[in-house]
Structure formats: C-alpha cells, structure tokens
Amino acid sequence: MTKIHSRLIWVILIALAVFLGYLYWQQQQGPTSGRGAGAPVAVSTAEVSVKPMIRKITSLGSGLANNSVQIVAPASDFLIELNIQEGKQVKAGDIIARLNNIQQLARVAELSAVLTDQRRQLDRLQNLATTQATAQSLLDEQQTRVNTTLAQLDIAKAQLNELTIRAPFDGYLGLRQVSQGAYVNTGTVLTTLDDLNTLKVEFSVAEHYLAEIKRGMSVNVTNVAYGNVDFIGEVSAIDTRLDPVTRSIRVHATLDNSDLRLRPGMLLKVNVELANTPALQISERALIPQQNKQFVFVVNSDNTVSQREIEVGQRIPGWVEVLSGLEEGEEIVVEGIQKIRPGVVINKVGAR
C-alpha cells in the first residue's frame, strides 16, 4: 500500500512538472504563437501631440434667485387693494397691496391739524418775546408741545406707510396666496418676489480644490430641460467655512438669465475650468504601469516596437500629461499593448 501511494505521488509530481513546462513554453512563444513566426500584430497607434490640458471641477448645484423675498402682511387687517398679477414684472417701489388705513389716515390728519395750531401759537409767543411781553418759560413749553406733536406725527405717518406694501426691488411676482378684501393676520404670506434676471448657482467643491478655485473663474452650466445648451457665468462668492462632515465648501456663481430660461430650484450641472494650458499628452490606454513606473510602446521606423519609460504629470479623464520620455510627433501603441512585446513587428490598424 505504501509503494502504491509513493508511485501516485511521483506521477502527480511529474504531471505537474510537465504542466509548468508547458506554461513556460507558451509564455516564451509570446504573442506570435498561432500567427506564424514574425507575423505582424494588429494594433492601434497614435501620434504624441500637444493639446490643451483642461482641468475642471464638475459638481451638481441648485439655482437660486439673485434676490428673493416673501411678501407678508405687516399688520392684521382687511386688504383693500391687491395688485398681484402672477408672473408679472414689477419695479422697486411699485404698490403690491394695501391694508385698511382709514384710522391711520385720520390720525395723521388730526396730528397735522394740531401741529399747525401749535406752531401758530409758538409763532405768536415768539413775536411777544421780542417785545419782552411774555415769559421765556411759556415759549419753552410751547416749543416742547410742537416737538412732541411732530414726533407723534412722524410715528403715525410711518404706521400709515407700513400699511402700503411696496416691491423692495425689481423682480417677478409669484403665485397669489390671498384675495382682495380678505382679513389677514400679521405675517400672512401674500406672494413671493424673485429677481430672476440674474440667477445664482450654489454648488459644493471638495477641500482638495480650495487653493485653486477663485472668484471670477468661468463657469459652464447645463440643465436637462435644455439638453446641451451651455449657460456661461462666473464664480461670484466662496464661503468662509467648510462643511466639517463632507469637507467641502459652498460656492456661488452668477449667470445672466435675462431670457428667464433658468429658474430657482433647478438642478444644474456645473463645470468650473481651473486651468487651460498646452501640454504633451497621450491616451491613458497607452500606459503600461510597472511598480511605480510608467512605460509605453514606441513604434520604430521599421514598424517594430520598443518599450520606453516615461514620466507622467497631471491627468484628466482619458488623457495624461507627459513630462519626459517622449517627443511630439512620435508614434505609440494605444490599443493592443497586451498582445505585443519589444521587437515585435506590428500592423497599424486605426492609426490616429
């Protein structure tokens, strides 16, 4: 039984050795096996060229009105005037609504009449004072009455003015929430007012880009409602604080929206261009990483390839900057690198 087991072990070891030898032989045959000795290998090549190295940030943002407020009732009373046409453009100072102001009007008229009479009495006392026929104390008392009434009149006029609701800036009215003649309480929302001619976009940028993003940088914005239409703006503000959870910072950009195509609340795709400089670039597909180094296959004049080490710099999607190891105009293999080895003859298919 022991001899049988020993023979079985030897058979297994011999079979394993034969298998490993076969694998080694296959590896030595290389990519030319099955094609005949020296058969060209079909690959795709491209010339090394200088192209703009565009680095950008892509983020999702939300549209915000440049200025936005809710128009609310400043007091509790009946609405005697309501000038809300939904979607209508209004100018700063235009009357939007007016609350019942009969009592305030009467109060202003009363105080105005009292003030007129008190000023007339003050003038009479001042004339008497020039002839020393009246005491200075009477003159001072009357002046105090005039000043008191004047202050009360200013308060009454301010209260009267509050009952007339005006647009604080140029903008577009939103949906009407009340009807004329309704009794409203203090703080009741009548409508909204948005400045839509300039749209703000709020988006977040990772902490990694904080040192690169600056005010005034160009911003490209798109929205699914308009397909590939680009809306161009610029970075207008950068928050002073980072979010401690996401380690990102909020950024605002402004866009010209005079055609009113964009609206507050829209989901917007934002692209911020960080840099646009010419650089020697190759396709990422051409790279052959080995440990901490990068290699490419360079096409020689006789259509053979040689492996060369290069130094890479910045990367953008699909492309990588070449700092050294290649010259502009040289030809490299970009597709089919797994089928070739140094010295192999290639057949260029789809050269670019």
Side-chain angles (χ1 to χ4, degrees), residues 210 213-215 235-241 249-252:
L210 181 59
I213 192 165
K214 307 291 182 184
R215 292 182 59 184
V235 175
S236 58
I238 302 172
D239 202 353
T240 56
R241 299 181 179 183
I249 191 168
R250 290 187 303 170
V251 179
H252 280 183

Side-chain angles (χ1 to χ4, degrees), residues 37 70-71 112 138-139 148 156 205 212 227 229 267 309:
Q70 288 185 325
I71 305 299
S112 297
L138 294 177
L139 184 63
T148 301
V205 172
E212 297 181 81
V229 177
L267 179 65
E309 182 183 355

Side-chain angles (χ1 to χ4, degrees), residues 267-279:
L267 179 65
L268 304 172
K269 183 179 180 181
V270 184
N271 292 303
V272 183
E273 188 175 293
L274 297 177
N276 188 343
T277 55

Side-chain angles (χ1 to χ4, degrees), residues 11-30:
V11 170
I12 294 173
L13 290 176
I14 292 171
L16 181 61
V18 171
F19 178 70
L20 291 175
Y22 173 76
L23 291 180
Y24 178 77
W25 178 79
Q26 284 287 87
Q27 183 177 10
Q28 293 300 313
Q29 291 300 306

Side-chain angles (χ1 to χ4, degrees), residues 1-68:
M1 184 65 70
T2 304
K3 290 182 178 181
I4 294 175
H5 287 169
S6 178
R7 290 176 182 176
L8 181 59
I9 292 174
W10 276 106
V11 170
I12 294 173
L13 290 176
I14 292 171
L16 181 61
V18 171
F19 178 70
L20 291 175
Y22 173 76
L23 291 180
Y24 178 77
W25 178 79
Q26 284 287 87
Q27 183 177 10
Q28 293 300 313
Q29 291 300 306
T32 59
S33 61
R35 298 186 180 87
V41 182
V43 297
S44 178
T45 64
E47 284 192 359
V48 181
S49 60
V50 175
K51 300 178 181 179
M53 175 66 74
I54 302 175
R55 295 181 60 250
K56 61 183 180 180
I57 302 171
T58 300
S59 180
L60 292 178
S62 296
L64 303 173
N66 187 42
N67 290 303
S68 179

Side-chain angles (χ1 to χ4, degrees), residues 102-132:
I102 295 177
Q103 291 184 353
Q104 283 72 21
L105 285 172
R107 177 63 175 167
V108 169
E110 177 187 6
L111 290 173
S112 297
V114 171
L115 181 62
T116 300
D117 181 64
Q118 289 177 344
R119 281 176 170 170
R120 185 170 56 252
Q121 294 183 33
L122 178 62
D123 291 340
R124 183 173 60 82
L125 290 174
Q126 288 174 337
N127 291 332
L128 291 176
T130 58
T131 61
Q132 298 181 353

Side-chain angles (χ1 to χ4, degrees), residues 282-289 294-296 310 312 315 320 333 337:
I282 61 173
S283 171
E284 283 185 328
R285 292 175 296 175
L287 294 178
I288 307 171
Q294 298 288 347
F295 295 85
V296 295
I310 64 171
V312 299
R315 293 174 182 257
V320 62
V333 179
I337 58 177

Side-chain angles (χ1 to χ4, degrees), residues 53 279-289 291-296 308-316 319-326 332:
M53 175 66 74
L280 198 66
Q281 298 180 51
I282 61 173
S283 171
E284 283 185 328
R285 292 175 296 175
L287 294 178
I288 307 171
Q291 296 181 348
N292 295 327
K293 299 180 180 180
Q294 298 288 347
F295 295 85
V296 295
R308 187 186 301 176
E309 182 183 355
I310 64 171
E311 182 183 358
V312 299
Q314 301 182 66
R315 293 174 182 257
I316 58 176
W319 298 91
V320 62
E321 179 185 14
V322 178
L323 300 179
S324 64
L326 289 174
I332 61 172

